[in-house]
Every structure is written in C-alpha cells, then in structure tokens.
Amino acid sequence: MTAPLEIANRFDVLVSLTPDAVEAVLAHFQNIPLDTASIKTTRHSDGTLAVKVIVQRLAEHKARAIQDALKKNDRVFDARLEHFWA
C-alpha cells in the first residue's frame, strides 16, 4: 500500500532588506503552524531579501489568498506561489 500524496506550497517572496522584513512576510502566515526549517532567506547584493516559506497541507484557496495579500503589501516586490508533491 502506498502512502497518500500530499501537496506542499512554496512561497517565494522578494522584499527590501530591512530589519523587520522577515517579520513583515511571516505576518501573512499568522494562523498557520510553521517550523523554522520551513523558512529560508537569501540576501542579495542589490539590497533585497528573498524569503522562501514552505507550508504543508494548505488548501489551494488559502494559499492563493496569502499570495494575493502578499502582492498587495507595499513592502513586497514580488510574491510567487508554487505547489509541489511533498
């Protein structure tokens, strides 16, 4: 018997490099349990910060709502969402 397939969501968010940039991104995930291993950051030489957040077991409509909210945030330059098999 095979294990059930689960879809995970990866959010790639680009923000300016400020002291509270990560907190500004994570504020959109307040009601979702995250562990620190699911959050990665990469600093770029142009003064931006890429924040990658992986969320397991999140419904499609909730993932799209988070992406839309991130895109409407003035501090966010870009917000992308990708679904993949976990």
Side-chain angles (χ1 to χ4, degrees):
M1 183 175 224
T2 61
L5 294 174
E6 292 196 22
I7 294 179
N9 301 282
R10 185 180 83 201
F11 295 85
D12 293 312
V13 185
L14 186 66
V15 294
S16 63
L17 184 58
T18 59
D20 61 342
V22 175
E23 289 82 8
V25 171
L26 295 182
H28 294 276
F29 299 90
Q30 283 181 336
N31 299 326
I32 299 168
L34 296 174
D35 66 24
T36 55
S38 65
I39 303 165
K40 306 254 189 267
T41 60
T42 305
R43 180 181 174 179
H44 298 155
S45 61
D46 65 355
T48 59
L49 181 71
V51 182
K52 183 185 301 183
V53 181
I54 298 177
V55 181
Q56 304 287 336
R57 296 178 293 281
L58 183 63
E60 170 81 17
H61 69 280
K62 289 183 181 179
R64 292 288 175 197
I66 292 171
Q67 181 190 24
D68 288 342
L70 283 164
K71 285 183 173 184
K72 291 176 183 172
N73 187 329
D74 293 340
R75 300 175 69 186
V76 173
F77 298 134
D78 191 21
R80 297 177 186 213
L81 170 63
E82 180 181 343
H83 310 291
F84 63 94
W85 299 111

